[in-house]
């Protein structure tokens, strides 16, 4: 997997200004590592921040800061919540939107623009934003730039129109030839479709296992191939290089369930961007309720 991580690192290095929000405080800013009272004006004081959309249309906002006493949060240009350095707020009554964004504005330092990580579509169960995570040096991976998903074969016309409005310009398909033939992707009009088959040439899933033991062995072999096989290295490098050259982001990469091949690709990118290992692992294991239901009722190579 070293080649894929190297490719992701190159992308992270060249795209820091566009994929990662704001520089961390430097020695020149005289930030105290303990209390942040001398925080640089260019630093983002948020150590935690999130937006979670409920099924009832309400949004739960959470935040924690260092070095600032007051936070104001805006949506659609209006103040919808405010509080101290640490807080939680539930916002209701916002108008319908493709995606509801919130601007977290601290009393000192730079703010954050966040949305719920899950993008709700009629034809997918696990379409998520790759951003919204804090790095080890205090920066944040921007949202609305890179997306990940399960298969796109069931996207509706409404979904495709929504993705066009969200600006998806490049779609990377990590699936095998059989998967792509059986469930052909539907992509937004004008978007570039790129095949990046993780299992190309590996021989994985060429025959259905006949026993539980064979199934377990097949999954182990597939996971090894996914992480370190030649097809995987080439596929992930293609995705990361594509992210680096696509200045019209948003970019989307996906497999069948949006968990293994997609999750590994996202984990590599987040690692290269400096997101802590525990956060990367939590993101890899995270799944939406709809995707969890799909996973329990179907068998997929991910």
């Amino acid at each position: 997997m070293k080649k894929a991580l190297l490719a992701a690192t190159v992308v992270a290095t060249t795209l820091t200004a566009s994929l990662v929000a704001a520089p961390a405080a430097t020695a020149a800013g005289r930030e105290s590592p303990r209390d942040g009272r001398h925080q640089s004006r260019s630093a983002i004081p948020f150590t935690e921040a999130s937006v979670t959309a409920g099924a009832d249309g309400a949004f739960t906002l959470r935040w924690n800061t260092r070095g600032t006493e007051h936070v104001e949060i805006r949506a659609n240009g209006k103040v919808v919540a405010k509080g101290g350095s640490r807080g939680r707020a539930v916002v209701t009554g916002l108008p319908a939107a493709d995606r509801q964004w919130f601007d977290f504005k601290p009393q000192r330092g730079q703010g954050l623009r966040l949305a719920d990580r899950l993008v709700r579509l009629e034809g997918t169960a696990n379409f998520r934003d790759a951003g919204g995570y804090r790095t080890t040096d205090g920066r944040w991976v921007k949202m609305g730039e890179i997306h990940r998903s399960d298969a796109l074969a069931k996207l509706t016309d409404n979904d495709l129109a929504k993705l066009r409005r969200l600006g998806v310009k490049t779609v990377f398909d990590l699936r095998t030839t059989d998967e792509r033939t059986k469930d052909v992707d539907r992509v937004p009009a004008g978007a570039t479709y790129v095949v990046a088959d993780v299992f190309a040439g590996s021989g994985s899933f060429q025959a259905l296992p006949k026993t539980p033991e064979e199934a377990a062995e097949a999954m182990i072999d597939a996971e090894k191939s996914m992480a370190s096989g030649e097809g995987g290295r080439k596929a992930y490098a293609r995705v990361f290089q594509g992210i680096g050259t696509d200045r019209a982001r948003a970019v989307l990469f996906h497999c069948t369930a949006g968990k293994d091949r997609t999750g590994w690709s996202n984990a590599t990118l987040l690692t290269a961007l400096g997101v802590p290992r525990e956060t990367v692992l939590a993101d890899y294991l995270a799944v939406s309720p709809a995707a969890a239901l799909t996973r329990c009722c179907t068998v997929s190579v991910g």
Side-chain angles (χ1 to χ4, degrees), residues 99 101 115-121 124-133 142-150 152 163 166 168 250-255 257-264 266-267 270 279-292 295:
R99 197 172 184 197
W101 290 90
D116 184 10
R117 187 166 285 110
L118 180 66
V119 179
R120 287 165 173 77
L121 298 171
T124 65
N126 198 16
F127 193 109
R128 286 184 272 160
D129 197 307
Y133 290 118
K142 289 183 180 179
M143 303 191 80
E145 297 274 343
I146 311 296
H147 298 88
R148 50 176 293 179
S149 179
D150 50 323
L152 309 180
L163 293 184
L166 292 178
V168 173
V251 171
L252 164 65
F253 50 83
H254 81 93
C255 53
K259 60 186 183 70
D260 292 325
R261 289 166 287 184
T262 297
W264 191 259
N266 201 56
L270 292 179
T279 303
V280 173
L281 179 60
D283 176 82
Y284 184 87
L285 296 175
V287 66
S288 70
R295 182 185 298 183

Side-chain angles (χ1 to χ4, degrees), residues 32-234:
S32 167
R34 294 184 178 179
D35 58 24
R37 284 178 293 182
H38 300 290
Q39 185 164 314
S40 166
R41 291 182 180 180
S42 65
I44 296 175
F46 292 95
T47 56
E48 300 174 26
S50 66
V51 174
T52 304
D56 58 356
F59 294 86
T60 301
L61 317 178
R62 292 182 174 86
W63 67 91
N64 193 9
T65 66
R66 183 177 60 188
T68 188
E69 295 79 31
H70 180 75
V71 172
E72 181 179 273
I73 302 173
R74 292 176 173 266
N76 307 319
K78 298 180 180 180
V79 176
V80 294
K82 59 177 64 177
S85 60
R86 180 173 187 153
R88 175 184 180 275
V90 177
V91 179
T92 60
L94 295 177
D98 287 332
R99 197 172 184 197
Q100 182 61 64
W101 290 90
F102 294 86
D103 293 307
F104 288 64
K105 301 290 187 181
Q107 183 181 10
R108 299 184 183 87
Q110 288 200 20
L112 290 174
R113 182 169 174 79
L114 302 176
D116 184 10
R117 187 166 285 110
L118 180 66
V119 179
R120 287 165 173 77
L121 298 171
E122 296 169 356
T124 65
N126 198 16
F127 193 109
R128 286 184 272 160
D129 197 307
Y133 290 118
R134 189 174 188 264
T135 67
T136 55
D137 62 1
R139 295 180 289 183
W140 285 74
V141 181
K142 289 183 180 179
M143 303 191 80
E145 297 274 343
I146 311 296
H147 298 88
R148 50 176 293 179
S149 179
D150 50 323
L152 309 180
K154 296 181 180 179
L155 289 183
T156 65
D157 289 343
N158 288 336
D159 291 337
L160 293 173
K162 183 174 182 176
L163 293 184
R164 285 197 301 271
R165 292 192 296 270
L166 292 178
V168 173
K169 298 295 184 182
T170 307
V171 176
F172 291 95
D173 191 341
L174 306 177
R175 300 176 302 162
T176 64
T177 301
D178 287 346
E179 290 173 292
R180 299 194 307 272
T181 301
K182 179 182 178 182
D183 296 302
V184 179
D185 266 357
R186 300 194 71 196
V187 301
T192 300
Y193 173 79
V194 181
V195 172
D197 185 348
V198 170
F199 290 128
S202 70
S204 297
F205 302 108
Q206 296 300 307
L208 290 176
K210 297 181 176 60
T211 66
E213 291 75 19
E214 287 183 4
E217 187 64 27
M219 286 302 299
I220 292 172
D221 290 343
E223 295 292 313
K224 289 179 179 178
S225 177
M226 179 190 75
S228 59
E230 183 65 23
R233 291 198 297 269
K234 289 180 178 179

